Amino acid sequence: MDRAELSDAIIDDLGQLFVRVLKQHAATLVACDFDGIEQCLQEAGRQVFGPVVERTVAAIARAQGEERPTCPVCHHRMRLVDAARSRDLQGLVGEYTITRAYFFCDSCHRGAAPLDERLGLGGGVLSPGLERVACWFGIDDSFQDGADAFHETLRIDVRDEPTRRITEGIGQVAEAEAQALVARAQAGKEVFAPEEVTASSAVLLVEVDGALVHAIDGNWHEVKSGLAAPLGPPIETDAKTGRTTLVLGKPSYCAGFESAETFWWRVYVEACRRGLGSALVTLVVVLGDGADWIWRYAAAFLAVAGVQLIEIVDLYHALDHLGLVAGVVLGQGSGAAEAWRAARKKELLEHGVAPILVALTDLKPNTPVAAEEVRKAIGYFQTNAARMDYPGFIARQLPIGSGAIESTCK
């Protein structure tokens, strides 16, 4: 294979193209505000850099030559059917038409363009870089909104269909990888090799939650989400509360539409990726709301010999229960209700559940509805008493709010 080069003549030709394009846009540039200048240069850049990509690919194609490749299936030599088959692509810096040799296997009836593999090109109409951007836009919002965001930010007109195809395709690859790891875990095998584990602290945080999403079948379904991240050793102090906590490291995530038990295998795999079962992690902290499906399985999947497991119910969900009781017993939005809730919050943070149970028992609900809410709240705080040892958690600089997983769900 020869060495690919852009000749001086090609470089000079592309330089002249740049000058011509810049002259075309010169009058527009000086008449624009700053936003307009950038948009104009985005358009001009695509006119210039598209041909640069095409000429660069042509140089690589010439250096690669037309040597007949071997079929990956039957290992026979493939037949050249087109020395210069064209392919249109949209990319980050322009629109391109590239030409390359195309071969065919008469035995397997498979076609191949070796240059596509050399350049890392997939089967779609977008360049690899634009595919990655399309995936991010497609994950973040609807596919049509993703296509609109392309135009707004990059001045590229991409239909929503390629955005959908890329996003769903990458999602299928990610899901296949996740299922393969879950299968290893369920078979009792080592999920990750030691060099694949990313543990950076003795404390591992696991957060889980569920959220309803409007699916393509037109119905609402719960998607369960989880994250795993190191906690500390650095600490930070919240300016609002004055509490000092271990800093949350970079999280990794999992999500799925499935039963709680099946989903917890995903959580277990992600926890293993972040150090569960390694020599470094000695404390696992599980943080979530009061949902039964969380605490029914947390210890079963995350309790490891020689590792302490601490379960924490999110403080703000606990306060929501207190606010609901205050509203139905003392009057929704009343001063009495707000004062009662504020006093209970202070007690909960300073002394844990014991004074809360006393305060709930002392309430005098005057309707069956209010009495039922008080009864449910007493059961909730009794059941989760150990998970609401907020004074102890605060003393150990552990987080008591599940904002990270709630933002993940959103």
Side-chain angles (χ1 to χ4, degrees), residues 59-322:
I60 296 171
R62 286 194 299 273
Q64 180 167 292
E66 298 177 2
E67 182 180 352
R68 294 167 59 196
T70 300
C71 175
V73 177
C74 68
H75 306 294
H76 291 155
R77 286 284 187 180
M78 304 181 79
R79 173 171 56 87
L80 177 67
V81 294
D82 193 341
R85 176 165 293 191
S86 64
R87 179 178 179 183
D88 294 327
L89 293 167
Q90 279 185 296
L92 288 172
V93 298
E95 279 69 46
Y96 329 121
T97 297
I98 63 173
T99 58
R100 68 273 195 263
Y102 189 82
F103 299 84
F104 189 79
C105 177
D106 292 314
S107 298
C108 299
H109 303 286
R110 295 168 56 93
L115 185 62
D116 290 357
E117 182 177 353
R118 155 74 172 77
L119 296 174
L121 293 175
V125 297
L126 306 183
S127 72
L130 201 54
E131 283 187 342
R132 288 193 296 272
V133 177
C135 185
W136 280 113
F137 281 138
I139 290 171
D140 193 53
D141 218 321
S142 71
F143 300 127
Q144 180 57 57
D145 288 341
D148 293 342
F150 262 111
H151 181 76
E152 177 64 26
T153 58
L154 300 177
R155 318 308 297 176
I156 303 174
D157 291 318
V158 175
R159 299 187 307 275
D160 60 339
E161 177 58 24
T163 303
R164 181 198 65 77
R165 184 184 60 78
I166 292 298
T167 306
E168 292 182 350
I170 291 178
Q172 289 168 359
V173 171
E175 177 62 8
E177 292 176 350
Q179 290 298 330
L181 292 171
V182 166
R184 289 185 61 82
Q186 291 174 332
K189 298 179 181 178
E190 184 180 57
V191 183
F192 297 100
E195 63 272 15
E196 296 176 303
V197 175
T198 57
S200 58
S201 172
V203 185
L204 174 66
L205 174 68
V206 175
E207 295 191 26
V208 289
D209 201 0
L212 291 176
V213 297
H214 198 222
I216 57 176
D217 64 3
N219 297 314
W220 291 86
H221 299 272
E222 183 184 51
V223 59
K224 296 177 178 66
S225 300
L227 69 80
L231 272 180
I235 58 174
E236 60 184 0
T237 301
D238 188 297
K240 197 173 186 180
T241 65
R243 290 196 292 269
T244 299
T245 57
L246 295 168
V247 172
L248 177 69
K250 185 177 181 180
S252 55
Y253 304 93
C254 60
F257 293 99
E258 56 218 354
S259 68
E261 183 176 6
T262 302
F263 172 72
W264 266 102
W265 282 106
R266 292 184 191 264
V267 179
Y268 171 74
V269 164
E270 208 54 45
C272 290
R273 190 198 306 274
R274 307 311 301 273
L276 180 68
S278 70
L280 178 60
V281 173
T282 58
L283 171 62
V284 176
V285 177
V286 185
L287 185 51
D289 61 25
D292 173 71
W293 69 267
I294 296 176
W295 308 116
R296 195 187 325 149
Y297 294 104
F301 280 88
L302 300 179
V304 174
V307 176
Q308 184 182 9
L309 179 69
I310 293 180
E311 299 178 347
I312 302 177
V313 166
D314 168 63
L315 171 67
Y316 302 98
H317 283 85
L319 295 179
D320 285 344
H321 281 265
L322 294 174

Side-chain angles (χ1 to χ4, degrees), residues 1-72:
M1 183 185 297
D2 296 330
R3 181 163 166 259
E5 292 183 347
L6 288 177
S7 67
D8 290 343
I10 290 174
I11 294 173
D12 289 342
D13 187 37
L14 292 171
Q16 293 172 17
L17 172 63
F18 172 76
V19 172
R20 289 196 303 271
V21 171
L22 187 58
K23 286 180 177 179
Q24 291 172 5
H25 292 274
T28 303
L29 281 169
V30 296
C32 290
D33 60 10
F34 201 88
D35 186 46
I37 292 172
E38 289 192 316
Q39 291 184 18
C40 184
L41 288 176
Q42 281 181 307
E43 181 182 341
R46 296 185 71 78
Q47 292 179 256
V48 173
F49 292 119
V52 173
V53 170
E54 291 175 348
R55 302 292 283 272
T56 301
V57 170
I60 296 171
R62 286 194 299 273
Q64 180 167 292
E66 298 177 2
E67 182 180 352
R68 294 167 59 196
T70 300
C71 175

